[in-house]
Amino acid sequence: TGACTTCATATLRPTGDIGATNFAPNAGSTHYTQIDETTSDGDTTYVYDNTTNATGSDTVALGTAPAGAVYAAVVHYTARNYVTAGSPGTMNTHVVLKNSGATVASGGNHNLGTAYTAYTDTFAGLNLASGAGLQAQYSQDTASTNKKTSRLTYLDVVITYSPADAVAPSAPGTPTGSAGGTSSIALAWTCATD
């Protein structure tokens, strides 16, 4: 694993749909717009598993990451177990961090309550050349029924990265020479700075 000497953070929000299995938006046909707000809006916009007796997942692209290697990511999401009748029972979900479709890290299972709750999964020890291909996948691990399903209303990923060096070093000064003796020359110049 790598580490950065000068670290910075950036918040990435969903910016596009990658793919969904048994998931649907509560309105329209675009998934990522239902979970991309800056704060959770509860039942105003969300995605949910709309297939009875099935598990599912929803994968979204994340916003443009600043240039630089990524060393950690924290996924925040807000979800709940939506129950129309009976006991809530178990509704397990988890998130997966992907880079250009390949799994980078997988979060632990969270058993959703019936009220919206904010969940956090921290992935340290990453060593990605960049965050350009980052994606987040929300997975419902418990099958939906005709009386319960999960609802995801918010998701973001905060990355810790090493900013690319955007400032070139200064040019060294012009060397000057002088006779240092019968068999030597003394050279001097101003060093470059970075």
Side-chain angles (χ1 to χ4, degrees), residues 3-139:
C4 52
T5 54
T6 304
C7 296
T9 61
T11 301
L12 308 180
R13 300 192 193 288
T15 57
D17 293 339
I18 299 295
T21 303
N22 300 327
F23 260 73
N26 71 307
S29 60
T30 306
H31 294 232
Y32 81 93
T33 57
Q34 306 302 303
I35 59 174
D36 69 344
E37 55 272 355
T38 56
T39 58
S40 170
D41 66 2
D43 279 332
T44 303
T45 61
Y46 58 89
V47 293
Y48 67 104
D49 187 335
N50 67 339
T51 306
T52 301
N53 299 320
T55 59
S57 65
D58 204 345
T59 306
V60 293
L62 298 172
T64 304
V70 175
Y71 296 103
V74 180
V75 180
H76 304 104
Y77 69 99
T78 303
R80 76 179 182 121
N81 183 358
Y82 177 71
V83 180
T84 58
S87 169
T90 300
M91 180 56 67
N92 285 321
T93 63
H94 75 281
V95 293
V96 176
L97 185 66
K98 295 185 170 193
N99 190 21
S100 300
T103 297
V104 172
S106 186
N109 282 332
H110 297 285
N111 184 15
L112 304 182
T114 55
Y116 277 113
T117 302
Y119 298 93
T120 300
D121 282 300
T122 301
F123 305 120
L126 304 179
N127 194 10
L128 305 174
S130 78
L134 286 178
Q135 304 163 344
Q137 176 179 297
Y138 171 79
S139 295

